[in-house]
DNA sequence: TGGAGTTTGACCTTTACTGACCTTTGTTGT
DNA sequence: ACAACAAAGGTCAGTAAAGGTCAAACTCCA
């Protein structure tokens, strides 16, 4: 008994399949009308079915003539990538381990040397001094930034 | 789905591209007629697409036979680039300005698209929520990370 | 029957566009 | 001269049309 979310998911995946590009653009309101639901339902579908963990990336622009763009991400090296994701998803973020993975990703040409240098700079603890934040809060922030950086790499393609 | 602003932006950039000079002159009213919009729409395009951060400079003269002149600012060399970076990362760090600077650096091929995407993710305010930090502290942190990232790129060479 | 997953709607932010009103500058008639 | 007018461009607040967020309500099984 598939539900609405499943139908929309299927529809979007078909769109992606027949698209000649690595992404499709949709209008949130249009899609919601097509499936006769509230617009925020679309956000739910995107969050639950088109997450990075599932191999998708979503970006959007607000305002008049805004849009939502869904990328199909194709990891060059599936093994390294899934390892990276696991690392990211781990409860307590460990910058040293992240650094280790980064190095490997660099060796495997998933990220360039320069990109690695950028991401490395996120992991330097001393930048986070002077904030009133606790150790845990800083780790959480580093994790978010690290994850965002890797997503950016994926989004960038090549 | 490009909108009017996008079309006018494209048109003006083409004009600049084929111009033998570093600037183009337009008449606000003429341009507005050409695109069938109100004159102040032109001001919106200029403000949102031809700001200094994006590498353009606009000057104008009012009154009879007035005009608007749009300069493409010369590509920055490395020295002035770092000067600009200092300026951007000055006391009151403005993420939006930084973003425009980043876009510009991307256009100048100083950073790649992927690198720009990574650095862009540093500037997203919502990653810094949940920290106990104040607005000012977050801005300081963003500034440190932004600067470090760009410097990492430059040091990394090729 | 309790919790994970789904659906909804109220409220928010961002971006594009418009129009009324203002300022500046050149021209013209006396 | 110079006052009046015409013809530029500038500003700003308001409106509309996107997408985002979040928590409450609902459903469906194990």
């Amino acid at each position: 008994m598939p539900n609405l979310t499943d139908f929309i998911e299927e529809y979007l995946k078909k769109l992606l399949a027949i698209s000649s590009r690595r992404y499709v653009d949709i209008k949130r309101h249009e899609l919601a009308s097509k499936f006769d639901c509230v617009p925020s339902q679309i956000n739910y579908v995107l969050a639950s079915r088109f997450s990075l963990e599932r191999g998708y990336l979503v970006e959007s622009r607000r305002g008049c003539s805004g849009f939502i763009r869904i990328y199909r991400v194709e990891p060059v090296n599936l093994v390294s990538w899934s390892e990276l994701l696991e690392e990211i998803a781990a409860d307590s973020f460990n910058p040293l381990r992240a650094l280790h993975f980064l190095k490997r990703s660099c060796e495997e040409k998933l990220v360039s040397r320069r990109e690695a240098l950028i991401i490395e700079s996120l992991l330097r603890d001393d930048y986070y001094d002077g904030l009133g934040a606790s150790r845990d809060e800083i780790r959480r922030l580093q994790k978010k930034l690290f994850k965002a950086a890797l997503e950016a790499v994926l989004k960038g393609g090549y």
Side-chain angles (χ1 to χ4, degrees), chain A:
Chain A
M1 181 70 76
N3 52 35
L4 223 203
T5 296
D6 293 330
F7 282 129
I8 300 175
E9 173 189 12
E10 191 187 7
Y11 172 75
L12 289 175
K13 287 185 174 169
K14 274 184 188 153
L15 279 192
L16 267 169
I18 63 175
S19 167
S20 55
R21 267 166 292 179
R22 292 177 23 263
Y23 61 85
V24 290
D25 287 341
I26 58 165
K27 293 269 188 188
R28 190 175 76 147
H29 185 75
E30 272 180 19
L31 191 55
S33 294
K34 186 183 196 81
F35 285 92
D36 195 28
C37 62
V38 294
S40 57
Q41 172 88 38
I42 307 303
N43 295 85
Y44 178 71
V45 175
L46 294 175
S48 64
R49 304 294 146 86
F50 292 86
S51 63
L52 185 58
E53 285 76 6
R54 291 172 182 240
Y56 300 89
L57 259 173
V58 176
E59 61 178 23
S60 64
R61 201 168 91 189
R62 292 193 189 184
C64 246
S65 73
F67 60 88
I68 296 176
R69 180 165 295 175
I70 307 168
Y71 287 85
R72 168 88 248 219
V73 158
E74 353 197 12
V76 191
N77 183 329
L78 207 53
V79 177
S80 309
W81 184 245
S82 56
E83 277 176 21
L84 267 174
L85 281 182
E86 269 174 40
E87 172 64 17
I88 290 164
D91 279 344
S92 68
F93 181 71
N94 181 340
L96 215 58
R97 284 191 56 187
L99 208 58
H100 174 70
F101 277 112
L102 191 60
K103 215 165 210 154
R104 258 195 54 199
S105 304
C106 196
E107 282 162 11
E108 290 173 16
K109 309 287 186 206
L110 283 178
V111 303
S112 74
R113 200 170 66 85
R114 279 169 37 139
E115 286 160 1
L117 281 171
I118 297 174
I119 301 175
E120 226 178 287
S121 70
L122 299 183
L123 300 174
R124 282 191 47 180
D125 277 353
D126 54 334
Y127 288 143
Y128 300 82
D129 290 346
L131 237 58
S134 72
R135 181 80 162 195
D136 274 359
E137 284 169 339
I138 289 173
R139 288 283 172 266
R140 269 199 293 279
L141 175 58
Q142 282 177 319
K143 177 171 149 183
K144 273 192 259 185
L145 292 175
F146 186 70
K147 186 176 173 185
L150 290 174
E151 283 177 9
V153 170
L154 276 190
K155 198 186 285 179
Y158 295 76

